[in-house]
Amino acid sequence: SQQGEEDPQALSIQEGENATMNCSYKTSINNLQWYRQNSGRGLVHLILIRSNEREKHSGRLRVTLDTSKKSSSLLITASRAADTASYFCATHNYGQNFVFGPGTRLSVLP
Amino acid sequence: DAGVTQSPTHLIKTRGQQVTLRCSPISGHKSVSWYQQVLGQGPQFIFQYYEKEERGRGNFPDRFSARQFPNYSSELNVNALLLGDSALYLCASSQGGRDYNEQFFGPGTRLTVL
C-alpha cells in the first residue's frame, strides 16, 4: 500500500483563495517532497522538506511537516487558474525508494 | 541545460508484444528511476539505477526489466504486454547518493496496450 495519502482527493476553489492539501504517511522518513502534475504530463518538483525541518516556504507555497503526527501540509496562497493541477506528496527514507500518494486534484476557478 | 528526456512520447502496442522505453537524465545526474502512473493514481516505483547498478525494485513482475548505460541513460523493457500495462511511464533523474535530493521528471511515455 502507498505510504503517502493526500487529503482531500479533490479540491475546487475560486481564484485568489488559499488552497490547503494534506499528506499523511505511516513510517519514518528522511524527507518529504511535494510535486505538481499538469494533466498527465511529467511531475514538477515543488518543495523538499527534511525530517528535521518543520516549515519551508517557496514563493506562494508553504509546506509544514509534523513528524509526530506523520503528516505534512501544502498551502498555496492567492491561488491562480494556472495552479490547477494534481498535487502529490512523496516520502523517502534511507535505503528505501520514493513512495507517492494518490494525489489531490486542485481546480482553481476564475 | 536540457531536462530529462524520454522517448517515444506515445506508443501503441498489442497484447503480448514487447516495448522499450528510453530516458536520458540531466547532465551530471547519475541516478535514474522509473515509475508507472495509471490514470487517476500516483506514480508507482518500478526501478532505480545508480552508477549502472540496480539500487531498488518495486513490486512489479519479472516482465519488467531495466538497465543503465555508461552515459547514465536508461532503458525500461516490458515483455508480454498486458492491457493493464497501459499507463504513463515516467523517468526521473537525481544526483543520487545516500541522501536523496529532489528528483527531476521527464514528460513521460504514454503506453497504450490494445
Side-chain angles (χ1 to χ4, degrees):
Chain A
S1 61
Q2 291 183 324
Q3 161 136 283
E5 294 285 340
E6 290 93 343
D7 169 58
Q9 291 185 340
L11 180 61
S12 184
I13 60 174
Q14 296 291 326
E15 215 167 16
E17 294 181 337
N18 296 341
T20 299
M21 289 159 271
N22 302 297
C23 171
S24 60
Y25 57 92
K26 298 176 182 176
T27 63
S28 298
I29 62 170
N30 170 42
N31 67 65
L32 184 147
Q33 304 184 27
W34 285 91
Y35 290 83
R36 184 186 73 229
Q37 185 178 39
N38 292 87
S39 47
R41 299 180 184 175
L43 279 73
V44 174
H45 181 266
L46 297 176
I47 288 184
L48 180 154
I49 186 166
R50 301 191 186 281
S51 58
N52 61 352
E53 297 175 314
R54 292 297 167 257
E55 187 171 313
K56 287 191 79 170
H57 296 255
S58 177
R60 294 183 296 111
L61 307 180
R62 182 173 76 99
V63 168
T64 61
L65 179 64
D66 187 335
T67 53
S68 67
K69 296 181 178 179
K70 292 186 170 57
S71 67
S72 174
S73 67
L74 170 66
L75 168 67
I76 304 175
T77 60
S79 63
R80 307 166 181 168
D83 295 328
T84 294
S86 291
Y87 291 83
F88 297 91
C89 70
T91 56
H92 175 259
N93 200 9
Y94 290 119
Q96 299 177 13
N97 302 297
F98 281 97
V99 179
F100 283 81
T104 292
R105 294 185 304 279
L106 174 65
S107 297
V108 181
L109 307 175
Chain B
D1 285 341
V4 178
T5 60
Q6 291 186 244
S7 63
T9 304
H10 295 86
L11 205 51
I12 299 175
K13 293 285 188 178
T14 57
R15 282 179 297 175
Q17 286 189 312
Q18 175 265 341
V19 68
T20 297
L21 311 180
R22 297 176 176 82
C23 171
S24 292
I26 292 172
S27 177
H29 284 190
K30 299 180 179 180
S31 176
V32 170
S33 296
W34 287 95
Y35 293 84
Q36 180 195 65
Q37 186 179 25
V38 175
L39 191 63
Q41 298 182 17
Q44 295 289 310
F45 172 78
I46 310 176
F47 285 110
Q48 192 225 344
Y49 277 78
Y50 176 67
E51 289 279 20
K52 293 164 286 183
E53 292 189 359
E54 182 181 303
R55 176 182 269 185
R57 184 186 182 113
N59 188 25
F60 281 80
D62 292 343
R63 299 185 296 107
F64 288 76
S65 63
R67 55 179 175 170
Q68 186 176 33
F69 299 98
N71 66 353
Y72 302 111
S73 67
S74 177
E75 286 183 352
L76 175 70
N77 296 284
V78 186
N79 294 322
L81 286 168
L82 303 174
L83 295 180
D85 295 331
S86 294
L88 180 68
Y89 288 84
L90 296 164
C91 170
S93 79
S94 65
Q95 293 178 340
R98 183 170 183 265
D99 186 15
Y100 249 115
N101 294 308
E102 53 262 43
Q103 297 184 106
F104 296 85
F105 283 80
T109 293
R110 184 161 298 283
L111 172 65
T112 301
V113 182
L114 302 176

